[in-house]
């Protein structure tokens, strides 16, 4: 009986709230205000408002007066009687943002296509009810304090194109169903505490994948990522294994950052022909020779702190910022580097901590002030004295015993 009374009371409160909502709409209509919001959306907005507050200095919720038309609230966009976009918080730079939790009632906004929350102090987990938003195309709640796991049922949002949950405190694995979303074009989950492997992604619409600064591990299969990617950042994880086969397919890449992982094997020469503007492969376990097929047009290439060997290809002489330090390169520095260096066409050339045996440059040559050159700790005495980064140490030349051992 007690349970029946609770159910009855709950139903009464729901009906009463709907009647109150209808009265508000009628009153608004008599005052000449267009206020025809669907009752389900009205009640959902009320619940959302109760669970979130302005942080000190923010006045975002000042316009949320439920005796007026909710479609005129800040951040609310309606189409006829339904809410289709909800952008919570002042989007201007430096705004304090919001605090509180995301109420599960948000799942009742069945026509919602866009949901964003500006950076602030929104905490707690993502509501499991988000999967009910079948029309949702854009979901962005970055730079807050969300915790817990990413709901696996987000994989039911088959219209979702952008998912940005970066800079939070999310844990657990990336749900495999997210990798099956057919329309997904932007997945940004960087700067969280995610673990496990990178799930396979099937969407040929996926152009941006940003998973940097997490605790992801495992390897990438040759078909794990789609060839449609233009931006790929997996840096600062614990990923390993070879990537030459998966990278060979991605000829549309314009940004690639795999730095600070445990990737191994060769770096495919074909990679340097892709339309990349920034290539970051530093601090991995890549090994072997690096042999671009043609002159490299990528402005910045960082291959430092790997196990790369062989001679430095002259094809790299057209790179503006080149980091080859802390590898196992041998032989002479190609003369093309000297020509472009003295012509101030190279801004950064870091070759320290290798096994290089020489560079043909006049000791009296004037190194352009705009150029950073470091040659120390190789199997030669640097012919020119140039300032090096502090991490290069103070030793100018590698010990002869190490050089002889490497040559042997």
């Amino acid at each position: 009986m007690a349970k029946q009374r609770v159910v009855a009371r709950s139903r009464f409160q729901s009906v009463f709230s709907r009647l109150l909502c209808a009265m508000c709409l009628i009153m608004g209509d008599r005052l000449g205000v267009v206020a025809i919001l669907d009752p389900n959306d009205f009640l959902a907005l009320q619940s959302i408002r109760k669970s979130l507050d302005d942080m000190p200095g923010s006045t975002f919720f000042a316009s949320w007066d439920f005796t007026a038309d909710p479609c005129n609230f800040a951040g609310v966009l309606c189409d006829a009687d339904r809410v289709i976009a909800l952008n919570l918080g002042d989007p201007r730079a430096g705004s304090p943002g919001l605090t509180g939790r995301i109420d599960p009632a948000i799942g009742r906004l069945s026509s919602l296509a866009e949901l964003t929350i500006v950076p602030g102090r929104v905490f707690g987990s993502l509501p499991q009810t988000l999967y009910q938003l079948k029309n949702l195309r854009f979901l962005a709640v970055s730079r807050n304090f969300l915790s817990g796991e990413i709901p696996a049922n987000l994989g039911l949002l088959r219209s979702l194109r952008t998912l940005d949950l970066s800079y939070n405190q999310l844990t657990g694995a990336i749900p495999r169903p997210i990798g099956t979303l057919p329309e997904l074009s932007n997945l940004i989950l960087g700067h969280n505490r995610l673990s496990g492997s990178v799930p396979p992604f099937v969407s040929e619409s996926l152009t941006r994948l940003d998973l940097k600064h997490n605790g992801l591990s495992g390897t990438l299969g040759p078909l794990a990522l789609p060839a449609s990617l233009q931006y790929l950042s997996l840096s600062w994880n614990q990923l390993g294994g070879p990537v030459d086969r998966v990278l060979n397919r991605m000829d549309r890449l314009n940004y690639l950052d795999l730095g600070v992982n445990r990737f191994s094997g060769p770096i495919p020469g074909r990679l340097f022909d892709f339309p990349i503007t920034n290539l970051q492969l530093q601090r991995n376990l890549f090994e072997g020779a690096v042999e671009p097929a043609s002159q490299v047009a990528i402005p910045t290439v960082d291959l430092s702190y790997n196990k790369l060997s062989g001679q430095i290809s002259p094809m790299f002489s057209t790179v503006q910022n080149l980091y080859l330090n802390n590898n196992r390169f041998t032989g002479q520095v190609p003369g093309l580097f000297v020509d472009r260096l003295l012509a101030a066409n190279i801004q950064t050339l870091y070759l320290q901590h290798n096994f290089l045996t020489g560079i043909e440059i006049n000791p009296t040559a004037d190194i352009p002030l705009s150029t950073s050159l470091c040659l120390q700790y190789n199997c030669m005495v640097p012919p020119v004295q140039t300032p090096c980064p502090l991490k290069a140490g103070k030793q100018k030349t590698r010990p002869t015993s190490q050089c002889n051992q490497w040559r042997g």
Side-chain angles (χ1 to χ4, degrees):
M1 290 294 292
K3 184 176 181 181
Q4 291 177 340
R5 285 196 296 270
V6 170
V7 172
R9 187 183 304 115
S10 176
R11 288 177 177 173
F12 172 78
Q13 289 174 342
S14 176
V15 171
F16 180 77
S17 297
R18 290 171 185 264
L19 289 173
L20 180 62
C21 171
M23 290 175 61
C24 290
L25 299 180
I26 294 170
M27 290 174 61
D29 188 52
R30 289 178 177 176
L31 293 172
V33 178
V34 179
I36 55 173
L37 188 64
D38 182 271
N40 284 318
D41 287 18
F42 185 92
L43 294 172
L45 290 178
Q46 281 189 322
S47 297
I48 292 167
R49 173 63 187 92
K50 290 176 182 177
S51 66
L52 292 170
D53 282 303
D54 283 304
M55 288 181 62
S58 172
T59 58
F60 173 76
F61 281 124
S63 67
W64 282 49
D65 177 1
F66 284 92
T67 63
D69 179 10
C71 291
N72 291 327
F73 290 178
V76 176
L77 178 64
C78 298
D79 182 13
D81 64 338
R82 306 309 300 263
V83 176
I84 61 170
L86 191 59
N87 301 295
L88 298 172
D90 187 342
R92 292 176 296 184
S95 169
L98 307 176
T99 185
R101 297 175 179 268
I102 305 173
D103 195 279
I106 202 163
R108 299 182 202 161
L109 299 174
S110 57
S111 296
L112 199 65
E114 178 178 322
L115 172 60
T116 67
I117 300 180
V118 301
R121 299 189 67 86
V122 176
F123 53 89
S125 59
L126 283 167
Q128 292 287 336
T129 56
L130 287 174
Y131 82 94
Q132 298 171 336
L133 305 176
K134 303 301 184 183
N135 297 310
L136 197 64
R137 296 193 299 270
F138 191 95
L139 173 57
V141 189
S142 64
R143 297 181 185 275
N144 277 280
F145 290 82
L146 294 177
S147 58
E149 299 187 357
I150 300 172
N153 58 19
L154 291 184
L156 297 174
L157 300 176
R158 309 308 283 176
S159 298
L160 195 64
R161 298 176 184 176
T162 293
L163 176 60
D164 183 358
L165 303 175
S166 58
Y167 291 90
N168 279 288
Q169 299 173 2
L170 297 169
T171 55
I174 300 172
R176 291 181 70 88
I178 288 180
T180 69
L181 291 172
E183 302 295 327
L184 192 64
S185 58
N186 299 285
L187 179 60
I188 309 168
L189 302 177
H191 291 269
N192 277 287
R193 301 171 183 175
L194 300 172
S195 56
S197 59
V198 177
F201 290 92
V202 300
S203 172
E204 288 298 329
S205 301
L206 190 63
T207 58
R208 183 184 182 97
L209 180 60
D210 188 345
L211 307 178
K212 63 176 175 283
H213 284 267
N214 278 290
L216 301 172
S217 57
T219 60
L220 298 177
L223 301 177
L225 304 176
S228 55
L229 281 175
Q230 298 175 20
Y231 181 107
L232 175 60
S233 180
L234 303 176
S235 62
W236 291 89
N237 279 286
Q238 301 166 27
L239 297 164
V243 291
D244 51 322
R245 293 177 64 188
V246 66
L247 290 181
N248 264 325
R249 300 171 49 249
M250 298 185 186
D251 55 2
R252 302 177 199 173
L253 281 173
N254 56 51
Y255 181 92
L256 176 60
D257 186 359
L258 305 182
V260 198
N261 275 288
R262 299 170 184 171
F263 291 119
S264 58
I267 297 174
R270 185 167 178 262
L271 180 65
F272 299 99
D273 291 328
F274 295 168
I276 299 174
T277 58
N278 196 317
L279 177 59
Q280 305 284 331
L281 301 180
Q282 73 277 11
R283 295 184 183 274
N284 277 285
L285 301 172
F286 291 117
E287 56 188 351
V290 187
E291 300 175 341
S294 57
Q295 289 290 339
V296 180
I298 305 173
T300 297
V301 174
D302 192 345
L303 308 182
S304 63
Y305 292 92
N306 279 288
K307 297 181 178 181
L308 302 171
S309 57
Q311 297 195 348
I312 296 175
S313 171
M315 299 300 177
F316 283 117
S317 62
T318 45
V319 177
Q320 296 175 20
N321 298 284
L322 181 63
Y323 303 86
L324 299 179
N325 53 288
N326 295 81
N327 277 289
R328 299 173 180 177
F329 289 112
T330 56
Q332 290 266 335
V333 179
L336 284 174
F337 281 95
V338 177
D339 297 338
R340 292 185 57 80
L341 192 72
L342 296 179
N345 292 322
I346 296 179
Q347 296 176 13
T348 307
L349 181 58
Y350 279 2
L351 303 176
Q352 68 269 20
H353 286 257
N354 279 287
F355 293 83
L356 301 170
T357 53
I359 180 171
E360 294 186 4
I361 186 171
N362 192 321
T364 62
D366 290 328
I367 307 298
L369 294 175
S370 60
T371 297
S372 295
L373 171 66
C374 187
L375 298 169
Q376 71 183 49
Y377 210 72
N378 276 287
C379 297
M380 64 177 176
V381 176
V384 290
Q385 300 301 316
T386 54
C388 286
L390 292 175
K391 290 182 180 179
K394 296 181 179 180
Q395 286 185 273
K396 298 297 182 184
T397 305
R398 185 180 288 274
T400 304
S401 60
Q402 292 184 16
C403 294
N404 291 338
Q405 183 181 11
W406 189 251
R407 288 169 186 159

